[in-house]
Amino acid sequence: MCNHYSRLTVAEVEKAERELAEAVERIVGAIPVETWGWSKDHMPVVYRGEAGRTLTTMRWGVWPYYEKTLKGRPVVNARDDALLTKNIWKHSARNKRCVAAAGGFFEWTGPEGAKWEVLFTLPNQKPFFFGGIWSHDPVGEDRGFAIVTTKPNPTVAAIGHDRTPLIFDAEGAKRWIGSEPMPDQEWMAFCQPYAGELLRRDLPPPEKVIAEDDLFGGELEV
């Protein structure tokens, strides 16, 4: 997945799922008004807290437990086939699942030196949720989340990508967050390519060659 996506306005989040977003006005007011979410930005996230489903903001990007300097770029994507095998994800996948509301996501395609972005949205710009996992930073008090990626559906696969964000509607988002712990096989069964329709819009190529770190954020996908 590319290192930015289209987040929603407060009104759109509420329309997508009022129960998930009942605290949006209070929390999202502190978020910059830019349309796009980039890695390291703090974005609206819903997770299961002590009081049930809770809306807050977290940085997009997880620092590995062994990273004590917090330099460079955090990990923004987590492969679904690594959630139960990589130490960075095991605990969060079982106990700290979350969702992030979005209106679209971007992927790069094209030959080296002449790449362009493709924007994927749902029909009628319908909002949706990314499935994610979150964790506390290894130092300090901040938290970050990573977007889970899975196998692409045919629309995304057509541009040559073998991964795509895990996408849910409002009901699927509730199930992913969960109201109580679930067996591994139950929540892992949610990690499926998006079965609905995705619309593709190719954006104009950038005027200058984009550096590799700017294309993919310099992050790992683990």
Side-chain angles (χ1 to χ4, degrees), residues 4-21:
H4 66 298
Y5 65 87
S6 170
R7 76 169 175 84
L8 301 178
T9 64
V10 171
E12 288 169 328
V13 174
E14 290 180 335
K15 183 177 180 181
E17 179 48 54
R18 184 171 299 276
E19 183 178 355
L20 290 181

Side-chain angles (χ1 to χ4, degrees), residues 109-150:
T109 191
E112 291 298 328
K115 292 184 179 293
W116 67 91
E117 282 188 302
V118 179
L119 171 63
F120 294 98
T121 62
L122 269 58
N124 301 317
Q125 301 293 312
K126 184 178 180 181
F128 58 87
F129 295 89
F130 292 128
I133 54 180
W134 67 275
S135 67
H136 290 93
D137 288 354
V139 294
E141 302 297 325
D142 207 358
R143 299 174 293 183
F145 74 98
I147 294 174
V148 175
T149 64
T150 187

Side-chain angles (χ1 to χ4, degrees), residues 8 52 87 95-96 99 123 140 144 149 155-157 164 178 192 201 204 206 219:
L8 301 178
N87 289 333
N95 303 289
K96 296 181 178 180
V99 296
T149 64
T155 305
V156 179
T164 194
Q192 301 292 332
R201 180 159 66 93
E219 81 282 356

Side-chain angles (χ1 to χ4, degrees), residues 81-87 90:
D81 54 8
L83 294 180
L84 292 176
T85 60
K86 299 290 187 179
N87 289 333
K90 285 180 181 179

Side-chain angles (χ1 to χ4, degrees), residues 1 6 12 15 40 42 58 94-95 97 103 106 129 145 151 154 194 216 220:
M1 177 182 172
S6 170
E12 288 169 328
K15 183 177 180 181
K40 283 194 173 181
H42 277 70
M58 295 184 192
R94 289 180 170 128
N95 303 289
R97 295 184 301 277
F106 299 84
F129 295 89
F145 74 98
K151 295 179 180 178
Y194 182 64
F216 304 107
L220 302 174

Side-chain angles (χ1 to χ4, degrees), residues 11-202:
E12 288 169 328
V13 174
E14 290 180 335
K15 183 177 180 181
E17 179 48 54
R18 184 171 299 276
E19 183 178 355
L20 290 181
E22 60 185 355
V24 166
E25 292 288 356
R26 176 174 56 84
I27 299 175
V28 177
I31 301 175
V33 298
E34 287 83 359
T35 303
W36 315 116
W38 292 82
S39 57
K40 283 194 173 181
D41 276 357
H42 277 70
M43 304 299 290
V45 170
V46 181
Y47 72 106
R48 188 179 77 239
E50 294 182 359
R53 286 193 296 268
T54 304
L55 180 70
T56 187
T57 62
M58 295 184 192
R59 181 192 60 250
W60 182 21
V62 169
W63 291 112
Y65 60 90
Y66 51 80
E67 177 55 67
K68 305 301 183 182
T69 63
L70 306 188
K71 294 181 179 179
R73 291 181 183 270
V75 184
V76 300
N77 296 330
R79 293 176 60 102
D80 60 348
D81 54 8
L83 294 180
L84 292 176
T85 60
K86 299 290 187 179
N87 289 333
I88 185 177
W89 303 132
K90 285 180 181 179
H91 177 71
S92 293
R94 289 180 170 128
N95 303 289
K96 296 181 178 180
R97 295 184 301 277
C98 62
V99 296
F105 65 95
F106 299 84
E107 302 287 7
W108 288 95
T109 191
E112 291 298 328
K115 292 184 179 293
W116 67 91
E117 282 188 302
V118 179
L119 171 63
F120 294 98
T121 62
L122 269 58
N124 301 317
Q125 301 293 312
K126 184 178 180 181
F128 58 87
F129 295 89
F130 292 128
I133 54 180
W134 67 275
S135 67
H136 290 93
D137 288 354
V139 294
E141 302 297 325
D142 207 358
R143 299 174 293 183
F145 74 98
I147 294 174
V148 175
T149 64
T150 187
K151 295 179 180 178
N153 73 359
T155 305
V156 179
I159 68 169
H161 283 249
D162 63 354
R163 309 297 299 174
T164 194
L166 182 60
I167 295 174
F168 295 120
D169 59 14
E171 191 57 39
K174 292 179 186 178
R175 293 197 300 268
W176 175 255
I177 296 170
S179 57
E180 57 187 26
M182 289 186 284
D184 290 344
Q185 63 269 23
E186 186 172 340
W187 59 262
M188 277 296 295
F190 298 145
C191 297
Q192 301 292 332
Y194 182 64
E197 181 182 5
L198 284 175
L199 301 182
R200 167 183 174 174
R201 180 159 66 93
D202 289 62

